[in-house]
């Protein structure tokens, strides 16, 4: 009763869960230009899904999976596989297996023991929105399904519809016996193994990381991330993870997310590229909403409109606390960092919005 | 030339314990004379004798060469000796103009004329204070300005300033020093008590240093440097420990303890956001009026944020909204106030009773008052821990020097076993010896894993203490520096532009 009254009061005055607030980027998240200044390894159309098995490094570009050969600041690519639909998730497993989630639905495996295996269903559900994959040994695959209502390309729809229909599954290959590890997640989009044998899942629309362990409810590990968390990758030394944050939060978007009628009307009547919603890159059109104001701060005239795109990779320590971060700020181009991976003593990241794969130096002395 | 004030072997004892002992002092006409010493050195007592606030136990005072003994400040005022106290003596319910003309009211008063005269007078001093404002609504700096203006208005021959610049911004200090030079040119003698040694070196003609109630040295200001002053004040050099970081470097951030998101309160705090981590000292610098104190007070439940869309404060992962400070104390948030006289302690109560008040609001008390013996044991423990120096075992706080009063305020918060401690101007009006002790204490708290926030207007303090530095301007945090990046110029630029 009191909780209900409090919720009503919060709703009326914009407090509690109805507060239109965004956590600050300070401390370990203090902005820098590291991603913007990083050397470009490869330019590609919408690069995404960087993945490694320790020896090979691959990423997706549209419907292709490319193998990346990196040597210092230079790199070359070689096509590994091509599919009939854009790749929405990628994982490299032991024994040479490569699993690719497809935007049209399904998971296709190439190489290794399960070469040419295709999965269309999981636990009786259609594999319609594969957002992340992770091999746990040669015969076990963990699959994150972002949503039951939208495909991977409709992620902005899913956010604005405020869905929480994602799930995480453990699948045994080749038979496809599946166990649901968690359901009701809000766009799970990153998977990583935890040192305790569990899983770490990036739950994008709730701006948090959760831990999954057998027989337990998802436990928050890191909450209130100032952006939408994407793919996770392990850090060398089994201590912590790298987290790609593919879009920033802003008070404007948070406000829109709390205004159901406005949101529905916007989605019905306005072209999606002009929605007040996060984006992977800054739009170039003058029709971009609200890019008209200015604000003088620290003697520099800055655009007033909150940015809808950003580039951010966060280094998390063993306790899942941010310890270091790399940014491409509002004024930059390398936005929409959807994936990252540590390889060969460097941190590589895909800027899907900027169309590049960049190579970042690891912080000296480790993350902490 | 006959000194305007001459004190010969003056002693003042309280309950048999000398606060000032056998001190001789001269003040020449048109001289600016700085009086320096640690808290408890006897500076305030000596000047209170000059101004007739207290009477000496032994010794003699001559004014214009004539032996004089003032029984009241009014008698000293008749001879043109005015004292501007560290703790202001304004009437809070009256306006600035009414305070300026207090005691000079006519039978019929023309208020409009009074306000216009007050405004012109304040403008002539370059003090940006609204004469129509009620004193209670003014901040500490503006109250100090009104206090100074009142002293100047009384056409004094001798003005004694006790820590006049403690709450002024750099720009206001600049105007204040210009005012002192104008007064000096008019032949007014100034006694200037300050803990800011650079100011004393900059403005004064001569410097007298006291230690433990005794005279140490009087000499021309030009013959002093900072290190010589400190050595004379404390008997050892504190420069190293005060203003240089040790080689350890900044502490790494621990867990996120406090997250302030888009906090707003009227036009004072505007969409302010920052994060505080455990095991770290976060320094917050800003000019007066930049909303630092108000933000800290909202976090600790002293002030309330805007009712509608006032933003969010998250303690760990939990949103919190405190209506009273006790709720914050129960959650482990303590605020050590900048205005200790008004908000920090009960001045007529003893140290033990004050600590008991702090303890009573904490979770461990369970709302029960301590037994007298436990209360005394608590006071003894914290007196020892924080090295609180007093003339007897459990004195009233009003009888302590400024630095020791500040330690009582800190102890009163620390007995609550907090996990977030907010220090607001922790060393304002505190001598260099006590500054070093307070800095050590703050460092020890961070080393113990507490999240510590230090709000300060004094850049060397921010640079010395902080593991990360936030700069506040116009109600919000506008910049963050690491100690390696930070310089005084960069911080000040961020605070002003």
């Amino acid at each position: 009763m009191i909780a209900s009254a409090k919720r009503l009061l919060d709703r009326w005055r914009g407090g509690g869960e109805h507060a239109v607030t965004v956590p600050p980027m300070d401390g370990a998240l203090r902005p820098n230009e590291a991603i913007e200044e990083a050397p470009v390894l490869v330019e590609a159309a919408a690069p995404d899904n960087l993945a490694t098995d320790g020896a090979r490094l691959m990423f997706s570009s549209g419907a292709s999976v490319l193998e990346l050969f990196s040597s210092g600041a230079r790199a070359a690519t070689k096509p590994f596989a091509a599919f009939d639909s854009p790749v929405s998730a990628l994982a490299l497993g032991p024994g040479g297996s490569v699993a690719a989630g497809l935007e049209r639905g399904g998971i296709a495996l190439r190489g290794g023991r399960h070469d040419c295996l295709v999965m269309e269903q999981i636990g009786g559900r259609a594999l319609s929105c594969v957002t992340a994959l992770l091999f746990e040994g040669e015969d076990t695959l963990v699959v994150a399904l972002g949503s039951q209502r939208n495909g991977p390309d409709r992620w902005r729809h899913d956010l604005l519809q405020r869905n929480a229909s994602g799930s995480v599954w453990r699948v045994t290959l080749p038979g496809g016996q599946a166990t649901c590890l968690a359901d009701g997640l809000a766009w799970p989009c990153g998977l990583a193994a935890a040192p305790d044998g569990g899983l770490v899942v990036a739950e994008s629309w709730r701006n948090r990381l959760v831990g999954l362990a057998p027989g337990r409810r998802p436990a928050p590990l890191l909450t209130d991330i100032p952006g939408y968390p994407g793919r996770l990758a392990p850090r060398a030394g089994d201590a912590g993870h790298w987290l790609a944050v593919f879009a920033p939060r802003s008070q404007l978007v948070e406000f829109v997310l709390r205004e159901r009628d406005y949101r529905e009307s916007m989605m019905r009547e306005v072209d999606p590229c002009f929605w007040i919603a996060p984006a992977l890159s800054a739009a170039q059109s003058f029709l971009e909403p609200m890019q008209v104001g200015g604000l003088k701060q620290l003697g520099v005239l800055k655009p007033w409109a909150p940015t809808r795109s950003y580039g951010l990779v966060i280094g998390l320590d063993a306790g899942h606390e941010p310890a270091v971060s790399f940014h491409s700020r509002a004024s930059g181009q390398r936005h929409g960092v959807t994936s990252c991976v540590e390889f060969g003593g460097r941190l590589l990241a895909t800027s899907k919005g900027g169309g590049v794969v960049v190579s970042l130096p690891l912080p000296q002395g480790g993350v902490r | 030339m006959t000194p305007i004030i001459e004190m010969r072997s003056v002693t003042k004892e309280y309950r048999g314990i000398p606060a000032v002992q056998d001190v001789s002092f001269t003040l020449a006409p048109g001289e600016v004379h700085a009086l320096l010493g640690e808290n408890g050195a006897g500076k305030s007592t000596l000047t209170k004798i000059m101004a007739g606030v207290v009477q000496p136990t032994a010794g003699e005072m001559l004014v214009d060469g004539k032996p004089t003994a003032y029984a009241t400040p009014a008698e000293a005022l008749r001879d043109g000796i005015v004292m501007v106290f560290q703790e202001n003596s304004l009437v809070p319910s009256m306006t600035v103009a009414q305070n300026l003309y207090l005691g000079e009211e006519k039978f019929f008063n023309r208020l409009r004329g009074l306000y216009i005269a007050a405004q012109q007078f304040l403008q002539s001093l370059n003090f940006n204070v609204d004469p129509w404002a009620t004193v209670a609504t003014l901040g500490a700096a503006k109250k100090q300005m009104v206090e100074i203006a009142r002293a100047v208005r009384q056409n004094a021959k001798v003005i004694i300033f006790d820590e006049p610049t403690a709450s002024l911004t750099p720009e206001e200090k600049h105007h204040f020093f210009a005012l002192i030079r104008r007064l000096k040119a008019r032949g007014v003698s100034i006694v200037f008590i300050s803990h800011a040694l650079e100011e004393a070196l900059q403005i004064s003609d001569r410097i007298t240093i006291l230690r433990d109630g005794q005279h140490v040295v009087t000499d021309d200001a030009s013959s002093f440097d900072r290190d010589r002053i400190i050595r004379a004040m404390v008997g050892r050099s504190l420069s190293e420990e005060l203003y240089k970081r040790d080689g350890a470097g900044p502490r790494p951030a621990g867990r996120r303890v406090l997250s302030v998101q888009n906090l707003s309160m009227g036009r004072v705090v505007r969409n302010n956001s920052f994060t505080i981590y455990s095991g770290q000292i976060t320094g917050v610098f800003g000019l007066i009026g930049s909303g630092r104190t108000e933000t800290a007070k909202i976090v600790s439940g002293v002030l309330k944020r805007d009712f509608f869309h006032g933003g969010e404060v998250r303690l760990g992962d939990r949103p919190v909204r405190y209506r009273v400070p006790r709720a914050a104390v129960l959650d482990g948030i303590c605020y050590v106030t900048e205005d200790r006289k008004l908000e920090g302690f009960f001045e007529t109560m003893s140290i033990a009773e004050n600590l008991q008040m702090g303890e009573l609001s904490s979770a461990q008390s369970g709302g029960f008052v301590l037994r007298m013996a436990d209360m005394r044991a608590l006071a003894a423990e914290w007196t020892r821990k924080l090295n609180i120096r007093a003339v007897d075992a459990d004195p009233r706080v009003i009888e302590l020097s400024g630095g020791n009063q500040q330690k009582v305020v800190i102890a009163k918060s620390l007995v609550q076993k907090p996990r977030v401690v907010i220090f607001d101007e922790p060393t304002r009006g505190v001598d260099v010896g006590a500054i070093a002790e307070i800095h050590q204490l703050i460092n020890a708290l961070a080393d113990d894993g507490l999240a510590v926030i230090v709000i300060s207007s004094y850049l060397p303090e921010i640079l010395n203490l902080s593991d990360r530095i936030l700069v506040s301007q116009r109600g919000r945090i506008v910049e963050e520096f690491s100690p390696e990046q930070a310089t005084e110029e960069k911080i000040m630029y961020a605070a002003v532009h």
Side-chain angles (χ1 to χ4, degrees):
Chain A
M1 180 70 186
I2 291 173
S4 306
K6 186 176 180 307
R7 268 199 296 277
L8 277 175
L9 181 67
D10 281 347
R11 186 172 182 161
W12 179 50
R13 67 177 181 179
E17 65 187 39
H18 295 276
V20 184
T21 59
V22 173
M25 284 196 199
D26 63 0
L29 301 180
R30 188 152 56 105
N32 53 48
E33 298 283 359
I35 294 179
E36 202 56 33
E37 291 166 356
V40 173
L41 279 184
V42 178
E43 289 187 20
D48 195 359
N49 296 309
L50 263 174
T52 182
D53 56 5
R56 295 178 301 169
L57 183 65
M58 294 188 189
F59 70 97
S60 69
S61 175
S64 306
V65 174
L66 305 170
E67 189 167 358
L68 182 64
F69 301 94
S70 163
S71 163
R74 287 184 296 178
T77 58
K78 190 177 93 177
F80 174 79
F83 299 93
D84 58 353
S85 162
V87 176
S88 61
L90 191 70
L92 273 62
S97 297
V98 176
L102 303 177
E103 235 173 63
R104 63 160 170 74
I107 297 171
L109 282 99
R110 294 283 187 275
R113 196 190 292 173
H114 310 290
D115 192 19
C116 297
L117 179 71
V118 175
M119 296 165 63
E120 299 287 349
Q121 285 203 329
I122 192 167
R125 288 188 197 180
L127 272 169
S128 59
C129 183
V130 183
T131 48
L133 295 167
L134 174 74
F135 273 102
E136 286 184 333
E138 214 169 336
D139 298 325
T140 309
L141 188 63
V142 182
V143 180
L145 302 180
S147 170
Q148 290 189 59
R149 289 184 61 186
N150 296 293
D153 56 327
R154 287 170 55 88
W155 62 272
R156 282 153 41 109
H157 295 74
D158 203 67
L159 170 66
L160 294 176
Q161 288 162 357
R162 306 216 69 175
N163 291 330
S165 58
S167 53
V168 176
W169 298 77
R170 181 173 281 134
V171 186
T172 308
L173 303 174
Q177 294 90 345
T179 315
C180 182
L181 302 176
D183 208 349
L185 300 176
W187 198 266
C189 165
L191 289 171
D196 62 0
L199 286 169
V200 181
V201 179
E203 203 181 355
S204 300
W205 305 160
R206 291 191 178 122
N207 316 105
R208 65 179 189 171
L209 301 183
V210 292
L212 298 185
R216 278 188 280 171
R217 293 164 61 87
L221 301 173
L222 174 67
T223 57
D224 230 7
I225 298 169
Y228 299 95
R231 306 246 159 56
L232 285 154
R235 269 185 33 222
D238 285 340
H241 295 95
W242 296 108
L243 172 66
V245 177
F246 61 84
R249 290 166 73 186
S250 73
Q251 277 186 288
L252 181 63
V253 174
E254 295 290 315
F255 175 71
V256 169
L257 288 173
R258 282 158 180 75
E259 295 294 319
R260 193 189 60 197
D261 292 348
Y262 177 87
R263 244 180 17 244
E264 287 175 354
S265 162
M266 178 178 75
M267 292 169 73
R268 215 172 29 246
E269 296 163 16
V270 179
D271 188 325
C273 65
F274 299 130
W275 285 356
I276 297 175
L280 297 182
S281 62
Q284 304 298 317
S285 167
F286 68 94
L287 292 171
E288 170 85 353
M290 315 251 291
Q291 296 283 357
V292 287
L295 175 74
K296 198 163 193 175
Q297 197 171 31
L298 292 172
V300 178
L301 191 66
K302 297 183 170 182
W304 171 80
T307 181
R308 297 188 292 132
S309 60
Y310 198 83
L312 175 61
V313 175
I314 304 174
L316 305 170
D317 65 15
H320 301 100
E321 285 291 320
V324 68
S325 60
F326 306 98
H327 299 245
S328 170
R329 302 177 70 172
S331 55
Q333 298 290 322
R334 296 173 185 175
H335 290 182
V337 177
T338 49
S339 66
C340 58
V341 71
E342 190 175 333
F343 187 83
R346 306 276 294 181
L347 178 67
L348 311 185
T350 54
S351 164
K352 195 169 182 177
V356 289
V357 180
V358 294
S359 167
L360 293 151
L362 292 173
Q364 287 181 343
V367 166
R368 175 150 296 174
Chain B
M1 193 192 298
T2 310
I4 193 162
I5 293 179
E6 183 176 1
M7 303 181 97
R8 293 177 180 166
S9 301
V10 168
T11 297
K12 172 66 186 176
E13 292 178 351
Y14 292 100
R15 294 188 233 168
I17 296 166
V20 170
Q21 195 174 16
D22 199 23
V23 172
S24 296
F25 173 85
T26 57
L27 180 68
E31 178 191 31
V32 179
H33 196 133
L35 202 52
L36 306 178
E38 287 193 87
N39 279 339
K43 309 177 301 280
S44 293
T45 307
L46 192 69
T47 50
K48 280 176 182 170
I49 294 170
M50 290 180 209
V53 179
V54 296
Q55 288 71 49
T57 314
E60 187 183 23
M61 181 166 90
L62 288 80
V63 176
D64 287 329
K66 292 177 213 157
T68 310
Y70 298 126
T72 62
E75 289 178 16
L77 185 59
R78 273 197 290 276
D79 279 352
I81 300 172
V82 182
M83 183 161 182
V84 179
F85 289 97
Q86 192 177 343
E87 63 274 31
N88 68 68
S89 53
L90 305 172
V91 182
S93 56
M94 296 170 85
T95 63
V96 169
Q98 287 168 333
N99 267 282
L100 279 178
Y101 293 89
L102 194 65
E104 297 174 33
E105 297 87 349
K106 297 171 186 139
F107 191 75
F108 291 107
N109 290 287
R110 191 172 151 259
L111 281 178
R112 187 174 153 74
L114 184 81
Y115 284 118
I116 290 170
Q119 178 140 38
Q120 285 174 346
F121 179 64
L122 288 165
Q123 278 174 355
S124 74
L125 301 179
N126 258 323
F127 285 172
N128 180 23
V129 185
D130 177 8
W132 283 268
T134 309
V135 165
T137 64
L138 299 180
K142 298 215 164 167
K143 281 181 189 161
Q144 187 71 39
M145 287 181 198
V146 179
E147 193 82 36
I148 293 167
R150 197 161 73 166
V152 175
R153 258 213 79 253
Q154 287 163 336
N155 288 322
K157 285 194 297 183
V158 175
I159 303 179
I160 302 163
F161 290 109
D162 190 355
E163 282 285 335
T165 56
S167 51
L168 302 187
T169 63
E171 193 183 344
E172 288 160 354
K173 279 182 195 168
H174 181 74
H175 291 313
F176 175 70
F177 289 152
L179 168 67
I180 288 211
R181 288 189 195 100
R182 287 206 302 274
L183 291 170
K184 184 183 160 186
R186 276 172 23 195
V188 176
S189 303
I190 311 276
V191 179
F192 181 81
I193 299 175
S194 177
H195 291 122
L197 306 185
E198 289 82 4
E199 291 175 6
L201 286 166
Q202 182 188 344
I203 198 74
S204 55
D205 301 312
R206 282 196 302 157
I207 293 175
T208 289
I209 296 172
L210 303 179
R211 184 167 73 226
D212 298 331
Q214 294 180 326
H215 178 261
V216 178
V217 63
T218 298
D219 208 341
D220 288 344
S222 56
S223 70
F224 283 97
D225 60 17
R226 180 181 179 82
D227 224 36
R228 186 184 167 204
I229 292 176
I230 291 175
R231 267 199 310 278
M233 281 169 69
V234 299
R236 64 189 192 282
S237 175
L238 280 173
S239 291
E240 288 294 313
E241 60 184 282
L242 266 182
Y243 298 113
K244 288 213 170 61
R245 296 186 70 88
D246 54 20
R251 298 173 189 84
R255 293 197 76 79
R256 181 178 62 189
V257 176
L258 188 73
S259 178
V260 172
Q261 299 178 13
N262 309 109
L263 195 70
S264 297
M265 188 189 76
R267 302 181 67 173
V268 184
V269 180
R270 301 196 292 191
N271 213 24
N272 197 7
S273 298
F274 58 92
T275 313
I276 301 297
Y277 301 91
S278 63
Q280 243 192 0
I281 300 172
T282 304
V284 183
F285 178 82
L287 304 180
I288 286 162
S290 62
R292 304 161 307 166
T293 295
E294 290 78 5
T295 302
K297 286 185 168 179
I298 294 169
V299 169
S300 53
V302 180
L303 294 176
K304 291 192 177 77
R305 70 190 93 159
D306 286 348
F307 189 80
F308 291 107
H309 299 288
E312 210 175 3
V313 177
R314 300 176 79 90
L315 187 65
D317 290 332
R318 185 167 58 97
V320 292
R321 191 177 191 120
Y322 303 119
R323 288 171 187 80
V324 289
R326 183 165 187 257
V329 169
L330 290 173
D331 273 350
I333 301 175
C334 284
Y335 170 69
V336 180
T337 178
E338 65 171 335
D339 193 345
R340 58 176 175 260
K341 305 246 180 207
L342 191 66
E343 301 168 345
F345 50 70
F346 301 92
E347 60 183 14
T348 55
M349 288 186 177
S350 67
I351 297 176
E353 287 164 332
N354 270 282
L355 296 191
Q356 152 74 23
M357 287 296 178
E359 208 267 347
L360 193 59
S361 60
S362 67
Q364 68 264 21
S365 77
F368 291 103
V369 179
L370 288 175
R371 288 182 306 153
M372 189 59 81
D374 292 340
M375 204 193 291
R376 290 213 175 108
L378 188 71
E381 179 193 340
W382 283 96
T383 302
R384 181 176 44 75
K385 268 189 190 167
L386 301 192
N387 194 21
I388 299 171
R389 278 163 282 187
V391 290
D392 59 22
D394 192 18
R396 294 185 305 162
V397 176
I398 198 170
E399 293 165 0
L400 300 176
S401 65
N404 288 310
Q405 286 177 344
Q406 184 68 0
K407 288 181 192 171
V408 172
V409 179
I410 293 170
K412 188 165 151 268
S413 293
L414 295 186
V415 294
Q416 296 163 344
K417 296 193 170 53
R419 50 184 173 140
V420 180
V421 193
I422 307 170
F423 290 99
D424 197 352
E425 303 286 359
T427 56
R428 174 181 289 171
V430 172
D431 67 83
V432 281
I435 288 174
E437 288 174 355
I438 291 171
H439 283 187
Q440 281 171 6
L441 171 73
I442 292 171
N443 277 310
L445 294 173
D447 290 339
D448 286 346
L450 270 66
V452 182
I453 304 172
V454 175
I455 298 171
S456 179
S457 308
Y458 189 45
L459 276 170
E461 180 166 73
I462 288 284
L463 287 165
N464 173 44
L465 275 178
S466 310
D467 299 308
R468 56 193 278 258
I469 297 164
L470 304 177
V471 183
S472 174
Q473 188 218 2
R474 294 185 199 173
R476 60 191 299 194
I477 299 295
V478 293
E479 189 59 286
E480 179 183 357
F481 294 103
S482 65
E484 297 90 2
Q485 294 175 319
T487 62
E488 293 202 8
E489 291 74 25
K490 281 184 188 172
I491 295 175
M492 192 52 87
Y493 187 84
V496 172
H497 286 84

